[in-house]
Each structure stands twice: as structure tokens, then as C-alpha cells.
Amino acid sequence: MKSQKKHFYVVIGIGIAFLIIALICGVVGYLRNMTELYLVAVLGGLVGFILLIVGLSKLFNSKKIAKNMENPNSLSSKTYGKGAPYTHFICYLDKKGQRAQNIAVNTLGVLGAVFGAGGVFVTGQNSYDVFVSDKELVLNSQVENPTYDDKKFKIVPSTNMKDMQFERVKGHERVIISFKTSNKTLCLDVVAQNDEQTNVVKETFNKMLGENKE
């Protein structure tokens, strides 16, 4: 985290440097009537502004992450901070889109349909972190939840699961989870590049069924 903060400070510093250069070019261009310096000033100012905003945003997010991680009871601490026995994978939610009418589309909105929460069905190829234990799986998108806010994590208890199927797709192991209280199916395309990783995915996810398997 400290090394990341240093990187963000560097980005902010570069952004400020570009803004200063842009200002100097603008002033010199005005005093000497050098229109070519106006273009340099505009481009430099634009680059500097973007770098400054990105750096400040990342720095602000890193402070929020640190605060969330400090709480040992938070999901961010239990998952990313390894405060609980989860196995971490990278996945996509049905990367190939809607596989069938009872298969969830590739967004977290499906969890709203399955468990009664709100959600919007949209498309996209963002990856998700999935943390799996015997009792549950936890999903989080670092794009949608860059500060690891607990409210934006999605928890799927194993007690809600009815059955699980696996399909091999290119570079992924597709995990298809059906539920006891819904006809919807959660489809996760978990990154698995070889047979060893595929076996780990199957063994880890199968543990969630346990005595719940019918």
C-alpha cells in the first residue's frame, strides 16, 4: 500500500509539472505572440489535469481501502486482507453472455434476481474477484468497488445452493450454480489455464455444496 501511495504521489507531481509548463507556455505565448505555444499550453494543461485528477482519485481510494482493511470484521479484511480462509479466483459472470434462458447474464445484477435485491442487467467484460470458502462465495468488482466497500460485496451462502455443474471453456472453467429457492442459475467463468488449475477450481467450489447437495 505504501509503495502504491508513492506511485500516486509521483503521478500527482508529474501532473502539477505539466500544469506549470502549460502555464509558462501560455504566458510566454501571450507576451511574445507565439501562437504555437498556445497549442503546447493546451495539450500540456490537458495532460496535467488528467494526471492530477487520476492521481488524487487513486490516492483518495487508497486511503479508503486502508481504512476498510484496518477493520478485522470487514469483508475487505477477510478477503483481500486474508483474514479468513477464502480461496481467491478471478472470474467473469457468464463471459459468453446468456447461455440459456435460465442462465444469468454477465453482470452482478443477476444476484438481485436470485436473492431479491436490486440490480440492473447490463453487458460488459469486467473481471471479478471471487473468494470461496466452505460456507459461501464472495464476489467483488475492483472496477465497480475500487475502495472495497463492504456494501458493494456480493455474498452467496452455500446453504442457498442446490447443485453445481462444470464445463471447460477456453482458458476458463465454467461453474454453473443452481439454487433451492430460484430457477435462476449463476454462471461464473473462472480463469483456469491448465488441468491443475481446473482441478483446484472444481475441488474448491464443490466444497460449498457439502451436505446441501441434493
Side-chain angles (χ1 to χ4, degrees):
M1 187 64 68
K2 290 183 178 179
S3 61
Q4 285 184 335
K5 284 186 178 181
K6 290 181 180 179
H7 174 73
F8 302 149
Y9 283 124
V10 170
V11 173
I12 292 171
I14 295 174
I16 292 174
F18 267 96
L19 289 175
I20 293 173
I21 292 172
L23 178 61
I24 293 173
C25 289
V27 172
V28 173
Y30 175 77
L31 294 176
R32 298 190 178 183
N33 196 27
M34 299 173 64
T35 55
E36 62 271 18
L37 286 180
Y38 290 152
L39 179 60
V40 175
V42 171
L43 291 177
L46 181 61
V47 172
F49 179 75
I50 291 174
L51 290 175
L52 186 62
I53 294 300
V54 170
L56 289 173
S57 176
K58 294 293 186 181
L59 183 62
F60 183 70
N61 285 346
S62 70
K63 291 182 178 180
K64 281 191 171 183
I65 292 172
K67 183 178 180 180
N68 289 333
M69 296 281 280
E70 287 174 0
N71 179 5
N73 295 319
S74 68
L75 278 173
S76 56
S77 177
K78 292 178 180 178
T79 54
Y80 292 99
K82 299 182 180 179
Y86 289 103
T87 302
H88 175 230
F89 300 99
I90 302 296
C91 76
Y92 298 84
L93 296 187
D94 194 3
K95 191 175 182 181
K96 292 186 177 181
Q98 193 168 359
R99 179 175 173 270
Q101 290 186 353
N102 67 328
I103 296 292
V105 295
N106 57 345
T107 70
L108 283 176
V110 68
L111 298 179
V114 174
F115 302 111
V120 179
F121 286 82
V122 296
T123 59
Q125 292 299 328
N126 289 338
S127 63
Y128 295 85
D129 292 309
V130 55
F131 300 90
V132 182
S133 71
D134 294 353
K135 297 181 179 180
E136 63 190 10
L137 68 80
V138 180
L139 282 162
N140 182 57
S141 167
Q142 294 194 44
V143 173
E144 299 174 5
N145 186 23
T147 59
Y148 302 169
D149 184 351
D150 275 16
K151 295 179 181 178
K152 296 182 179 180
F153 282 76
K154 301 295 182 181
I155 302 175
V156 185
S158 63
T159 52
N160 288 353
M161 298 176 185
K162 178 181 179 181
D163 201 358
M164 195 175 298
Q165 298 178 1
F166 299 91
E167 293 181 6
R168 185 63 182 161
V169 296
K170 186 177 180 180
H172 300 80
E173 183 66 20
R174 177 166 291 169
V175 184
I176 305 169
I177 303 172
S178 59
F179 299 91
K180 296 177 179 179
T181 57
S182 172
N183 60 358
K184 294 289 184 178
T185 305
L186 179 61
C187 183
L188 305 177
D189 285 341
V190 183
V191 175
Q193 300 294 339
N194 51 52
D195 291 341
E196 182 179 356
Q197 293 177 358
T198 296
N199 291 334
V200 172
V201 171
K202 290 181 177 179
E203 291 174 2
T204 304
F205 275 81
N206 268 325
K207 288 180 181 178
M208 283 191 293
L209 289 179
E211 298 179 355
N212 297 316
K213 188 171 183 179
E214 298 179 358

